[in-house]
Amino acid sequence: MRALDPAIAGQLAASLPEAEFQRLLRTFEADLGRLADDYGRAAAAEDSDGLRRAAHSLAGAAAAIGAGRLEAAARSAMEGQGTADTAGQIRDEAAAALAALAALSAPVGQDGSGSADG
C-alpha cells in the first residue's frame, strides 16, 4: 500500500490552485506534527483518553488527504490497540505521507516522478 492513495491525493493536487494546495500541505504538515506529538505524549503518560483523541484526529486528517497507512495505524490506536510503539509507527507513516505530498506539490518536471509512493 502506498503512503497516499493517488486517487485522493492526486485529485486534491489537480483540483486546487497551486497556492491553495501548498497552504493545505503546510496546514496538514503542522497538524500531523502536532497530533503525532500529542499521541506520543499520551502514550508515554499511558493516557488512554488522550491516545484515543489524538488517534481519532489523526485518522480523520489522514483520511482527508488519502494517507491510508497512517489512517489504519491511527484507527488501530483508537480501538485500544495503541502503545508507545504505535507512536513510532504513526510518526513514520506521517513522515511518509508528508514526503508523498511534497512530491505531488513539486512543480511538474522538478522531481520527475509525480508519484504518490512513499
Side-chain angles (χ1 to χ4, degrees), residues 27-85:
T27 300
F28 186 70
E29 182 175 21
D31 287 350
L32 273 187
R34 179 182 50 78
L35 292 170
D37 287 346
D38 289 350
Y39 185 89
R41 280 191 296 277
E46 298 180 5
D47 174 3
S48 60
D49 288 336
L51 279 171
R52 277 192 293 282
R53 277 192 306 273
H56 183 286
S57 295
L58 278 164
I65 207 78
R69 294 187 321 214
L70 176 58
E71 180 186 3
R75 290 200 185 281
S76 290
M78 284 171 50
E79 295 167 3
Q81 300 169 8
T83 64
D85 291 339

